[in-house]
């Protein structure tokens, strides 16, 4: 089935430093989604990338989808303590009996030290 | 507020017991997903329903079953509970059967003692 590998598993940064998490797939993805889960909370949808080479920005967050549509990244500029949480990428199955199943990466746990 | 309602918030039960988790999707959403999140683990896909029909299945144990009712709410039944079933169970909903963003509920924390 569809698998997405996400690295790093943990990232500790000082407030103001940048942060990047990467998501990789061995197969071409139709799209990729990113979610954030605050400690004690539920995953919240951030963005969906569909096009090859697509780049989207949300304030200090920049999302990229690779040209081959096999990898993606989330970059946060000048982290703040409010950025703390786990960031997940998620990709759908391409087809077959599990079409629509959304597989999540293992997530990157971000800690920001003030 | 995601608009997805899960009940109960917490559930404590003994091994061997059976429990039912309930989920009401966001208004207008036809798909319901169930995910399991163990301590320090990622989100493990269990099962998806779309408009009342099972759409996709993950590594869901045979002791677990689910259904989506005509009013689109869903229930996840967990039976013969084991200690290892202790986890956070999330329900999520989306508009379409595939490729739509998921909106998660607050989860049900199940503790099996």
């Amino acid at each position: 089935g569809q698998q997405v590998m996400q690295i790093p598993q943990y990232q500790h940064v000082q407030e103001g430093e940048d942060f990047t998490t990467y998501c990789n797939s061995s197969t071409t993805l139709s799209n990729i989604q990113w979610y954030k889960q605050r400690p004690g909370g539920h995953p919240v949808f951030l963005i969906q990338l569909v096009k090859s080479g697509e780049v989207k920005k949300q304030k200090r967050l920049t999302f990229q989808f690779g040209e081959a549509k096999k990898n993606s990244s989330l970059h946060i500029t000048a982290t703040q303590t409010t950025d703390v949480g786990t960031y997940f990428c998620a990709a759908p199955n391409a087809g077959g009996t599990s079409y629509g199943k959304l597989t999540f990466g293992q997530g990157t746990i971000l800690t920001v030290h003030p | 507020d995601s608009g997805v309602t899960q009940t109960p918030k917490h559930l404590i039960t003994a091994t061997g017991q059976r429990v039912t988790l309930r989920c009401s999707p966001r208004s207008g959403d036809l798909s319901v997903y169930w995910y399991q999140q163990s301590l320090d683990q990622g989100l493990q896909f269990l099962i998806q329903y779309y408009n009342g029909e099972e759409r996709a299945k993950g590594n869901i144990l045979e002791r677990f079953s689910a259904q989506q009712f005509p009013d689109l709410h869903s229930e996840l039944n967990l039976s013969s509970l084991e200690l290892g079933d202790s986890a956070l169970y999330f329900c999520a909903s989306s508009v379409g059967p595939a490729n739509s963003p998921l909106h998660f509920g607050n989860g049900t924390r199940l503790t099996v003692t």
Side-chain angles (χ1 to χ4, degrees), chain A residues 7-80:
Chain A
I7 56 170
Q9 188 175 359
Y10 301 94
Q11 187 75 60
H12 308 278
V13 300
Q14 288 292 130
E15 191 172 18
E17 292 181 340
D18 292 356
F19 158 76
T20 304
T21 174
Y22 301 89
C23 194
N24 296 291
S25 168
S26 58
T27 60
T28 302
L29 304 172
S30 60
N31 68 85
I32 194 158
Q33 301 175 19
W34 286 91
Y35 293 78
K36 176 184 179 181
Q37 184 176 20
R38 292 181 188 274
H42 60 273
V44 174
F45 171 76
L46 294 176
I47 210 158
Q48 182 177 32
L49 304 172
V50 178
K51 299 177 183 177
S52 168
E54 188 169 15
V55 177
K56 286 189 176 180
K57 292 189 176 184
Q58 289 179 351
K59 297 183 180 178
R60 295 177 295 103
L61 277 61
T62 302
F63 303 85
Q64 292 190 344
F65 202 10
E67 293 290 341
K69 300 182 74 173
K70 290 185 176 181
N71 56 72
S72 181
S73 65
L74 158 58
H75 179 82
I76 302 179
T77 303
T79 55
Q80 300 175 358

Side-chain angles (χ1 to χ4, degrees), chain A residues 30-31 33 35 37 41-43 45 48 88 92 97-104 106, chain B residues 33 35 37 42-45 48 55-57 90 97-102 104-106:
Chain A
S30 60
N31 68 85
Q33 301 175 19
Y35 293 78
Q37 184 176 20
H42 60 273
F45 171 76
Q48 182 177 32
F88 293 99
T97 57
S98 289
Y99 178 62
K101 169 186 171 183
L102 198 64
T103 299
F104 282 75
Q106 280 301 102
Chain B
Y33 300 73
Y35 284 86
Q37 186 174 46
L43 291 153
Q44 302 300 316
F45 172 76
Q48 179 207 1
R55 180 80 183 185
K57 211 167 185 176
F90 283 110
N99 298 317
S100 304
L102 267 56
F104 282 80
N106 289 331

Side-chain angles (χ1 to χ4, degrees), chain B residues 31 40 58 60 70-71 73 89 93-94 96-97 109:
Chain B
S31 265
D40 295 331
I60 188 169
D71 67 351
H73 91 271
Y89 291 84
S93 71
S94 68
R109 181 165 295 284

